C-alpha cells in the first residue's frame, strides 16, 4: 500500500459499521495515531469486495484512508487479526460487542494516549482468548484513565450502566 500527503496508512480496530447507499458502508475505527475515526468504505457491500470481511467489528486491520472535505474514504484494507473464531461463543461475542460500544461512546476523534490504546488492545485480547481474569478491573481502569471518576465512587455496580450515564445514551448491547 502506497502513502502520500492525502492518504494515511493506519492500524485500526473496527468498532462498528452501518450501511449507506447501495454498496457503501460507514465504518468507525479506533487508531493509535488518530483516535476514533469515522470513514466511508465505498463499494464494500458488493459481493466481490475483498474488504468486506475485513471490516467486521472487533477485527484489527491495516487500512488506507484518503482525506476528503467530509468523511475520509477507506480505500484499502488488510486483515491483521480476525475475531471470527469467537462467533460460536455467545458470551465472548457479547463481551466484545459491549467493549466496542464502550470505546465508541467514550472516545473522541483525536489522538489517544498510548497507555489507553494499549489497555483497549489488552482488554480486547482477553475477551478473544476467553480470559475473564481482572476484565472488569481493566475496563474500570480504562474509564478512569480517560478522566472519569472511579466506578466505586459513581454509585454504579455495572460498567455499562456507568458508561450509559456518562454518555447520556442507552447502551445498545443490552438489547
Amino acid at each position: 500500500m502506497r502513502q502520500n500527503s492525502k492518504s494515511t496508512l493506519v492500524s485500526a480496530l473496527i468498532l462498528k459499521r452501518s450501511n449507506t447507499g447501495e454498496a457503501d458502508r460507514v465504518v468507525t475505527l479506533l487508531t493509535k495515531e488518530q483516535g476514533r475515526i469515522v470513514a466511508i468504505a465505498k463499494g464494500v457491500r458488493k459481493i466481490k469486495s475483498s474488504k468486506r470481511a475485513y471490516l467486521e467489528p472487533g477485527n484489527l486491520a491495516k487500512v488506507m484512508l484518503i482525506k476528503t472535505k467530509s468523511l475520509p474514504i477507506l480505500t484499502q484494507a488488510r486483515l491483521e487479526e480476525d475475531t471470527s473464531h469467537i462467533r460460536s461463543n455467545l458470551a465472548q461475542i457479547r463481551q466484545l460487542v459491549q467493549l466496542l460500544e464502550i470505546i465508541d461512546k467514550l472516545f473522541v476523534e483525536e489522538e489517544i494516549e498510548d497507555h489507553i490504546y494499549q489497555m483497549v488492545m489488552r482488554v480486547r485480547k482477553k475477551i478473544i482468548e476467553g480470559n475473564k481474569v481482572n476484565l472488569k478491573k481493566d475496563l474500570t481502569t480504562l474509564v478512569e484513565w480517560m478522566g472519569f471518576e472511579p466506578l466505586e465512587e459513581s454509585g454504579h455496580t455495572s460498567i455499562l450502566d456507568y458508561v450509559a450515564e456518562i454518555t447520556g445514551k442507552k447502551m445498545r448491547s443490552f438489547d
Side-chain angles (χ1 to χ4, degrees):
M1 292 189 220
R2 294 182 312 148
Q3 193 166 348
N4 63 36
S5 62
K6 282 190 143 191
S7 64
T8 312
L9 180 65
V10 292
S11 183
L13 171 62
I14 314 304
L15 297 178
K16 69 179 183 178
R17 73 220 178 349
S18 60
N19 296 337
T20 183
E22 286 187 33
D24 303 337
R25 188 168 272 168
V26 175
V27 183
T28 305
L29 314 165
L30 181 71
T31 68
K32 184 177 181 181
E33 301 83 6
Q34 299 175 23
R36 188 175 154 272
I37 300 172
V38 178
I40 188 152
K42 296 208 175 267
V44 77
R45 291 173 45 210
K46 292 180 180 176
I47 300 286
K48 294 185 180 184
S49 173
S50 61
K51 297 178 283 198
R52 186 180 189 138
Y54 303 162
L55 300 177
E56 289 298 312
N59 287 347
L60 278 178
K62 189 74 88 170
V63 297
M64 177 73 74
L65 299 169
I66 306 288
K67 295 176 188 170
T68 65
K69 290 181 181 179
S70 59
L71 292 177
I73 298 173
L74 191 150
T75 59
Q76 298 178 32
R78 185 176 64 230
L79 189 64
E80 288 185 325
E81 194 175 319
D82 187 20
T83 57
S84 64
H85 62 281
I86 71 164
R87 302 279 189 247
S88 60
N89 186 325
L90 189 58
Q92 282 179 295
I93 292 171
R94 183 168 189 237
Q95 289 173 341
L96 183 61
V97 167
Q98 289 172 344
L99 171 68
L100 297 175
E101 186 175 11
I102 288 169
I103 294 166
D104 182 51
K105 293 210 186 291
L106 292 181
F107 281 82
V108 293
E109 294 182 20
E110 60 184 41
E111 273 187 44
I112 61 174
E113 296 175 37
D114 187 54
H115 69 283
I116 293 176
Y117 183 80
Q118 295 305 325
M119 178 62 88
V120 168
M121 292 299 120
R122 186 174 27 228
V123 171
R124 177 188 172 273
K125 185 175 182 178
K126 279 185 174 184
I127 291 170
I128 291 169
E129 293 174 349
N131 179 358
K132 294 182 181 183
V133 177
N134 295 327
L135 193 57
K136 184 176 179 179
K137 182 181 177 220
D138 288 346
L139 277 172
T140 303
T141 302
L142 181 64
V143 171
E144 287 177 34
W145 284 355
M146 294 182 68
F148 299 102
E149 70 178 334
L151 180 66
E152 302 83 32
E153 295 176 17
S154 72
H156 293 282
T157 54
S158 163
I159 192 80
L160 293 173
D161 290 339
Y162 185 37
V163 171
E165 181 183 303
I166 290 170
T167 61
K169 298 175 184 171
K170 184 182 173 207
M171 299 294 281
R172 294 181 64 200
S173 53
F174 280 129
D175 298 340

